[in-house]
């Protein structure tokens, strides 16, 4: 380590005095103007992680679903996964070290993790449309520690995960280029849709709200690769509006209304990506003009039912599991368990937890209600299916072929809006399902999500995959009493991992009840967990 050079370059990316940041649910995130030093330091950290794992590490610069003024950075581990928890702590230490402590912190991390500093390092870098300058600071960090790098420039977050995964699996998973990504997914998609008997126009066109983000650019580049199977009409493509402003998956999901800038005719199939294209939700207007949201839970249901049907057809008894968080709508969990007979597991919020759990199954489908998710297939399953596709007869062989293509179509390195969209479109075409029929699988329980400001959100701790509050004393008992007042009700609270708020979730048999319950729980949080500012008011 050339400590002199590190000190010199670090001064060019100086940390604002007193600024403390936390590596949260999905990396660092704050106002872009406060992130230069964090980017530089994450470049340094990526080099150490690369040396330790002897693998390529990814660094993604993205504002994700957040407003344009914000930005963020996350590290991608060797198999495309989120950074390991012990390294999240190192990331927080390094980001918060004062200038004079930087060298010591770097040496500490290297010693604790037994990093061989002589080892070569390779880092790949991607960014969404939100900032070019910040990714240059990452490169400065990588270079000063002697790491090599490849800057992919503009990519969606899942595309960067894909690149990392390809590079660390010797090309077996795919080619680590943007064309490699387009070709792999499009080939699988086109082959799948060729088998669809319903190929009317209805199945072949889709309106996509790109949140004024990177998804628009990448979908436009990719479009002609899959145009045989699907034509997409892009909205909020970044030519006018602001990133994630009044559009995008997060807006549509949390406001339960369509994005601005998209004209929707009744029963037209529409979807929204978030700003870095790792989330997707679907929706439509019915003949009466009512808006219907099809969220991550219903996406997981469609996918897991289809996979289960294919397995039955092939005659394979592989174990398939669905992983959700506490935010999953109660109706989805009930439908999966009772109607589909698929086992469902609940983990803490944050895709790294879901991804990890999903790896325990032959086939693990995971989705957050907000539309972030994918399906994972174990290597053994992949081999088995490939064999079946060669050996089985007729109908069985057809199902095995389909499954083979579906495996190729999922981005198994991360939740990916583009990949998920193509999977969904293929399944709808193959099953001949309209968006309304898909929506009608089950009816969502009315629900409400709220935020409460408290002095210190860490006073709330939880257990049972965040469904029960352990502290502050009395809070869980208060929630239990409130929940009892309503039918089909459920409520929980947890500190956000990305914002300085406590999140409140409630569902019940009617919207009015869900709204009341959410409000009452907010008041309990305000009173028992040190609320600040104005008391929560009823009404939304
Ligand atoms: P927090 O702020 O911890 O609730 C939010 C989302 C997560 C996840 C992360 C990362 C909800 C309720 N929470 O986390 O699901 O997507 O952001 O982007 O949607
Ligand atoms: Zn995102």
């Amino acid at each position: 380590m050339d400590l002199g050079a590190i000190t010199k370059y670090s001064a060019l990316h100086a940390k604002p005095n007193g600024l403390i940041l936390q590596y949260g649910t999905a990396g660092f995130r704050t106002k872009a103007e406060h992130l230069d030093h964090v980017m530089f330091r994450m470049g340094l950290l990526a080099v150490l992680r690369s040396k330790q794992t002897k693998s390529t590490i990814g660094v993604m610069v993205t504002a994700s679903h957040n407003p344009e003024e914000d930005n963020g950075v996350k590290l991608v581990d060797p198999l495309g996964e989120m950074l390991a928890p012990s390294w999240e702590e190192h990331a927080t230490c390094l980001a918060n070290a004062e200038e004079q402590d930087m060298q010591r912190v770097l040496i500490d991390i290297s010693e604790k993790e037994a990093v061989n500093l002589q080892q070569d390092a390779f880092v790949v870098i991607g960014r969404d449309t939100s900032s070019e300058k910040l990714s240059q600071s990452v490169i400065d960090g990588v270079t000063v520690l002697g790491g090599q790098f490849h800057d992919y420039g503009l990519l969606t977050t899942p595309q960067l995960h894909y690149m990392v995964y390809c590079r660390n699996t010797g090309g077996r998973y795919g080619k680590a280029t943007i064309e490699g990504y387009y070709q792999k997914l499009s080939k699988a998609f086109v082959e799948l849709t060729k088998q669809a008997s319903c190929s009317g126009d209805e199945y072949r066109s889709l309106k996509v709200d790109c949140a004024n983000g990177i998804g628009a650019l990448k979908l436009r580049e990719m479009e002609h690769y899959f145009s045989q199977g699907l034509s997409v009409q892009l909205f909020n493509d970044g030519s006018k509006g602001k990133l994630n402003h009044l559009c995008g998956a997060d807006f549509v999901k949390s406001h339960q209304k369509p994005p601005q800038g998209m004209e929707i005719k009744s029963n037209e199939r529409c979807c929204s990506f978030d700003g870095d294209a790792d989330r997707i939700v679907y929706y439509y207007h019915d003949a009466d003009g009512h808006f219907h949201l099809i969220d991550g839970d219903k996406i997981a249901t469609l996918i897991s039912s289809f996979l289960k049907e294919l397995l039955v057809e092939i005659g394979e008894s592989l174990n398939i599991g669905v992983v959700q968080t506490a935010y999953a709508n109660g109706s989805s969990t009930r439908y999966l368990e009772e109607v589909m007979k698929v086992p469902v597991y609940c983990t803490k919020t944050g895709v790294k937890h879901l991804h990890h759990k999903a790896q325990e199954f032959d086939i693990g489908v995971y989705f957050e209600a907000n539309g972030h998710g994918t399906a994972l297939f174990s290597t053994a399953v992949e081999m088995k299916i490939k064999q079946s596709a060669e050996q089985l007869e007729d109908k069985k062989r057809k199902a095995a072929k389909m499954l083979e293509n579906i495996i190729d179509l999922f981005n198994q390195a991360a939740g990916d809006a583009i990949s998920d969209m193509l999977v969904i479109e293929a399944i709808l075409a193959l099953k001949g399902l309209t968006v309304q029929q898909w929506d009608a699988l089950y009816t969502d329980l009315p629900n409400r999500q709220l935020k409460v400001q408290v002095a210190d959100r860490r006073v709330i701790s939880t257990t049972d995959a965040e469904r029960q509050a352990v502290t502050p004393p009395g809070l869980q008992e208060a929630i239990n009493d409130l929940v009892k007042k309503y039918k089909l009700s459920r409520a929980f609270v947890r500190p956000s991992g990305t914002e300085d708020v406590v999140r409140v979730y409630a569902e019940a048999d009617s919207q009015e009840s869900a709204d009341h319950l959410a409000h009452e729980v907010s008041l309990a949080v305000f009173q028992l967990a040190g609320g600040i500012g104005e008391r929560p008011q009823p009404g939304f």
Side-chain angles (χ1 to χ4, degrees):
M1 247 192 266
D2 181 351
L3 296 173
I6 294 170
T7 307
K8 191 173 130 209
Y9 277 90
S10 184
L12 300 175
H13 299 280
K15 169 177 165 320
N17 260 339
L19 180 68
I20 303 283
L21 296 170
Q22 189 80 31
Y23 197 96
T25 316
F28 292 103
R29 175 217 145 178
T30 187
K31 295 269 167 282
E33 70 218 47
H34 293 150
L35 277 168
D36 181 51
H37 69 295
V38 178
M39 297 294 165
F40 173 73
R41 294 169 183 205
M42 288 310 104
L44 299 174
L45 193 73
V47 170
L48 294 184
R49 181 70 173 148
S50 171
K51 286 175 187 284
Q52 188 213 29
T53 56
K54 302 189 177 61
S55 306
T56 296
I57 295 294
V59 181
M60 182 73 195
V61 178
T62 169
S64 189
H65 56 278
N66 301 304
E68 196 160 56
E69 312 75 66
D70 282 17
N71 218 305
V73 57
K74 51 187 165 190
L75 267 64
V76 179
D77 251 3
L79 295 180
E81 294 157 283
M82 303 285 179
L83 190 62
S86 63
W87 281 79
E88 288 189 353
E89 279 172 36
H90 301 327
T92 301
C93 270
L94 190 59
N96 294 323
E98 296 306 331
E99 266 339 290
Q100 67 274 15
D101 301 327
M102 277 274 294
Q103 294 187 3
R104 185 185 49 77
V105 173
L106 280 173
I107 292 169
D108 266 10
I109 298 171
S110 308
E111 284 176 357
K112 266 194 203 136
E113 297 289 345
V115 175
N116 172 5
L117 293 169
Q118 307 310 318
Q119 179 69 39
D120 289 341
F122 199 85
V123 177
V124 289
I125 299 149
R127 61 181 170 87
D128 69 7
T129 50
S130 61
S131 177
E132 187 165 357
K133 194 169 152 278
L134 289 174
S135 74
Q136 189 51 52
S137 308
V138 175
I139 294 175
D140 286 357
V142 173
T143 320
V144 76
L145 258 191
Q148 294 201 296
F149 69 91
H150 178 82
D151 180 10
Y152 279 102
L154 291 168
L155 283 185
T156 70
T157 298
Q159 284 172 341
L160 183 76
H161 284 256
Y162 165 91
M163 301 303 174
V164 173
Y165 195 27
C166 289
R167 282 176 179 266
N168 288 319
T169 46
R172 277 194 308 282
Y173 183 66
K175 259 172 71 186
T177 61
I178 194 74
E179 288 77 26
Y181 172 94
Y182 292 152
Q183 279 161 358
K184 179 176 183 200
L185 269 62
S186 303
K187 181 169 171 277
F189 177 73
V190 169
E191 277 184 23
L192 265 172
T193 44
K194 268 190 208 150
Q195 306 194 37
S197 42
C198 323
S199 51
D201 279 352
E202 197 190 343
Y203 293 103
R204 298 202 172 249
S205 68
L206 173 69
K207 290 189 166 173
V208 187
D209 153 33
C210 297
N212 291 317
I214 180 73
L217 265 83
K218 295 294 149 182
L219 204 50
R220 196 146 274 156
E221 277 175 17
M222 187 177 184
E223 207 175 351
H224 71 271
Y225 288 86
F226 61 67
S227 54
Q228 260 176 287
L230 177 71
S231 110
V232 286
Q233 206 183 335
L234 309 192
F235 296 84
N236 300 318
D237 64 356
S239 53
K240 296 193 287 285
K242 276 170 71 177
L243 178 66
N244 295 321
H245 183 61
L246 304 176
C247 61
D250 196 52
F251 173 85
V252 173
K253 165 78 181 156
S254 49
H255 293 79
Q256 313 223 355
K257 61 177 183 198
Q260 271 195 3
M262 187 192 248
E263 206 185 288
I264 308 179
K265 298 201 194 89
S266 67
N267 295 330
E268 249 175 2
R269 206 164 63 253
C270 308
C271 68
S272 284
F273 293 1
D274 75 335
D276 62 341
D278 60 5
R279 296 188 187 181
I280 183 169
V281 294
Y282 270 71
Y283 43 88
Y284 67 99
H285 273 148
D286 66 21
D288 300 328
H290 291 131
F291 175 77
H292 293 252
L293 174 73
I294 303 184
D295 65 3
D297 304 334
K298 223 164 237 175
I299 294 175
T301 306
L302 178 77
I303 291 170
S304 52
S305 340
F306 187 68
L307 292 174
K308 203 177 161 185
E309 279 170 28
L310 287 182
L311 290 178
V312 170
E313 242 168 73
I314 305 168
E316 286 287 357
S317 61
L318 295 165
N319 79 45
I320 173 166
V322 175
V323 188
Q324 305 184 317
T325 71
Y327 291 101
N329 197 279
S331 291
S332 74
T333 316
R334 198 169 314 121
Y335 180 84
L336 283 162
E337 285 179 333
E338 292 171 14
V339 182
M340 290 301 309
K341 311 274 186 223
V342 175
V344 181
Y345 299 83
C346 185
T347 71
K348 289 202 273 189
T349 302
V351 278
K352 63 184 171 203
H353 301 294
L354 291 105
H355 192 96
H356 194 73
K357 184 74 192 169
Q359 284 172 326
E360 290 176 15
F361 306 95
D362 293 330
I363 301 178
V365 179
Y366 72 84
F367 267 90
E368 291 191 310
N370 61 31
H372 194 167
T374 187
L376 304 180
F377 301 82
S378 73
T379 322
V381 168
E382 218 180 313
M383 305 236 306
K384 223 178 205 176
I385 297 303
K386 288 221 157 89
Q387 272 171 8
S388 309
E390 297 307 315
Q391 292 161 2
L392 293 175
E393 293 304 317
D394 306 335
K395 207 174 155 214
K396 282 187 174 184
R397 183 192 165 115
K398 194 175 158 197
K401 266 274 175 234
M402 272 188 205
L403 197 48
E404 201 181 348
N405 283 322
I406 294 245
I407 295 175
D408 280 345
L409 190 46
F410 271 114
N411 184 343
Q412 294 186 53
D416 182 338
I418 295 181
S419 146
D420 291 340
M421 174 191 88
L422 294 175
V423 171
I424 293 164
E425 291 300 310
I427 296 179
L428 294 177
L430 286 163
K431 288 182 67 87
L433 276 181
T434 64
V435 69
Q436 303 88 314
Q437 287 167 328
W438 173 22
D439 186 35
L441 287 179
Y442 60 82
T443 307
D444 274 325
L445 280 172
N447 57 88
R448 178 65 61 192
Q449 244 197 78
L450 297 174
K451 300 177 189 183
V452 185
Q453 301 279 348
V454 296
D456 180 0
R457 68 194 201 275
R458 289 171 303 182
V459 301
I460 296 196
S461 61
T462 63
T463 183
D464 187 23
E466 306 178 322
R467 290 172 292 192
Q468 300 279 327
V470 179
T471 60
L475 179 58
Q476 189 56 50
E477 290 73 12
I479 296 174
N480 293 345
D481 289 342
L482 293 169
V483 165
K484 274 187 210 136
K485 292 168 46 181
Y486 301 93
K487 286 198 201 103
L488 298 177
S489 56
R490 185 170 73 91
F492 67 92
V493 302
R494 55 175 280 278
S496 158
T498 62
E499 281 179 70
D500 194 10
V501 295
V502 173
R503 294 200 198 281
V504 170
Y505 177 89
E507 63 185 33
D509 63 334
S510 70
Q511 192 60 53
E512 205 190 353
S513 300
D515 289 350
H516 276 157
L517 178 56
H519 174 61
E520 289 174 322
V521 173
S522 298
L523 285 175
V525 169
F526 193 84
Q527 278 153 14
L528 298 168
I532 51 170
E534 221 191 308
R535 258 165 69 89
Q537 299 296 312
F540 311 94

